[in-house]
């Protein structure tokens, strides 16, 4: 099962890449835990997650071909 | 009531000519009695002794377009608006230039003014756009909305 990860803004500077695929992850909390191991600086970052362009508030199950985005606090306008 | 879908993002600053043209396009819509225009301009904030010279905007464009549509639909449902347009810059916008253009029109001014405030508030809070405040020496900080 493969999902796509997208990162933006300041988080992109931590990861060094904007998008990649990952497999074997079943939920957004599991993903967050895996990412913080890979990129320890993420632990200091405040961010929201969107699954398939919808913001999520709680742990969310992930399915094949889902896209998860890590979104730092917005600062448009 | 017009509910035309269009692209919100504009590369670089939103020019006064673009804004003037947008106003001119409404002269044929004679049921309109009031327009309200909000223009967001890039400010020369001083942060730790360094002056901001530009903001470099980036976005999760697919999600942002979806969010802009959702906010636009909500405003149409909430206010008696005849016409509504939203434009946001992407990329570099220098201080003194315009990066957000929200344009609402209604038969009477109250609705246009209220809808405009509603739109700007929701845009700032809910749309995945990020601004990088760039200083003269090309260093930068990530903008925080207040």
């Amino acid at each position: 099962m493969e999902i796509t990860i997208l990162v933006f803004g300041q988080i992109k500077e931590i990861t060094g890449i904007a998008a990649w695929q990952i497999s074997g992850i079943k939920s957004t909390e599991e993903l967050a835990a895996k990412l913080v191991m890979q990129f320890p600086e993420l632990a200091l970052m405040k961010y929201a997650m969107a699954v398939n362009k919808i913001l999520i508030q709680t742990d969310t199950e992930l399915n094949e071909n889902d896209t998860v985005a890590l979104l730092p606090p917005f600062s448009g306008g | 009531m017009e509910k035309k879908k269009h692209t919100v993002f504009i590369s670089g600053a939103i020019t006064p000519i673009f804004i003037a043209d947008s106003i001119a396009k409404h002269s044929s819509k004679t049921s309109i009695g009031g327009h309200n225009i909000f223009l967001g301009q890039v400010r020369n904030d001083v942060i730790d002794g360094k002056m901001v010279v530009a903001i470099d905007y980036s976005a999760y464009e697919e999600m942002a377009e979806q969010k802009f549509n959702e906010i636009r639909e909500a405003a149409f449902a909430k206010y008696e608006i005849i016409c509504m347009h939203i434009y946001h810059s992407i990329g570099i916008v220098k201080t003194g230039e315009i990066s957000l253009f929200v344009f609402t029109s209604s038969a009477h001014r109250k609705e246009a003014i209220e809808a405009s405030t509603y739109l700007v508030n929701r845009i700032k809070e809910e749309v995945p756009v990020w601004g990088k405040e760039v200083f003269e020496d090309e260093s930068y900080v990530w903008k925080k909305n207040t």
Side-chain angles (χ1 to χ4, degrees):
Chain A
M1 189 197 78
E2 205 167 59
I3 58 161
T4 300
I5 301 169
L6 304 177
V7 298
F8 296 91
Q10 204 170 353
I11 296 178
K12 197 163 81 182
E13 295 179 346
I14 294 171
T15 60
I17 47 169
W20 69 96
Q21 268 84 37
I22 191 169
S23 51
I25 298 288
K26 292 181 192 67
S27 74
T28 51
E29 269 184 21
E30 193 186 340
L31 176 65
K34 190 180 168 79
L35 289 174
V36 84
M37 281 182 13
Q38 203 177 347
F39 308 105
E41 285 172 81
L42 273 184
L44 308 170
M45 285 290 307
K46 195 182 155 200
Y47 65 86
M49 276 180 154
V51 176
N52 303 327
K53 294 178 270 181
I54 308 289
L55 276 183
I56 56 151
Q57 313 291 341
T58 55
D59 191 20
T60 301
E61 188 188 312
L62 294 172
N63 297 299
E64 177 79 22
N65 296 326
D66 278 352
T67 297
V68 182
L70 272 61
L71 311 171
F74 307 150
S75 54
Chain B
M1 194 191 288
E2 185 196 85
K3 282 193 188 180
K4 202 174 66 185
K5 267 198 178 182
H6 63 82
T7 303
V8 170
F9 289 111
I10 287 184
S11 181
I14 299 163
T15 64
I17 289 170
F18 181 85
I19 296 161
D21 284 346
S22 297
I23 298 167
K25 280 179 191 156
H26 291 76
S27 59
S28 59
K29 295 178 183 170
T30 47
S31 61
I32 293 172
H35 297 298
N36 194 85
I37 289 175
F38 175 82
L39 300 174
Q41 173 166 306
V42 174
R43 185 177 52 232
N44 68 343
D45 274 351
V46 175
I47 302 168
D48 293 334
K50 291 194 287 189
M51 195 187 280
V52 171
V53 295
I55 294 180
D56 187 355
Y57 289 100
S58 57
Y60 182 3
E61 291 199 35
E62 284 179 310
M63 182 178 163
E65 292 283 0
Q66 198 171 292
K67 206 72 198 173
F68 276 123
N69 278 327
E70 186 189 317
I71 294 169
R72 190 187 288 118
E73 292 297 317
F76 269 123
K78 197 170 160 68
Y79 301 99
E80 287 288 319
I81 292 296
I82 294 168
C83 213
M84 167 175 2
H85 303 274
I86 303 168
Y87 298 97
H88 196 299
S89 292
I90 201 88
I92 301 264
V93 182
K94 294 182 209 147
T95 51
E97 292 182 331
I98 304 300
S99 59
L100 175 62
F101 172 27
V102 174
F103 188 0
T104 52
S105 311
S106 53
H108 302 281
R109 70 183 183 282
K110 188 168 172 274
E111 295 282 312
I113 292 167
E114 286 177 3
S116 173
T117 303
Y118 172 84
L119 287 167
V120 174
N121 286 341
R122 286 200 61 181
I123 290 166
K124 291 212 171 230
E125 279 168 23
E126 297 175 41
V127 180
V129 174
W130 299 275
K132 204 162 85 169
E133 294 180 306
V134 184
F135 302 109
E136 278 164 307
D137 62 2
E138 293 180 1
S139 62
Y140 63 84
V141 293
W142 288 94
K143 183 171 172 261
K144 289 185 180 77
N145 273 2
T146 46

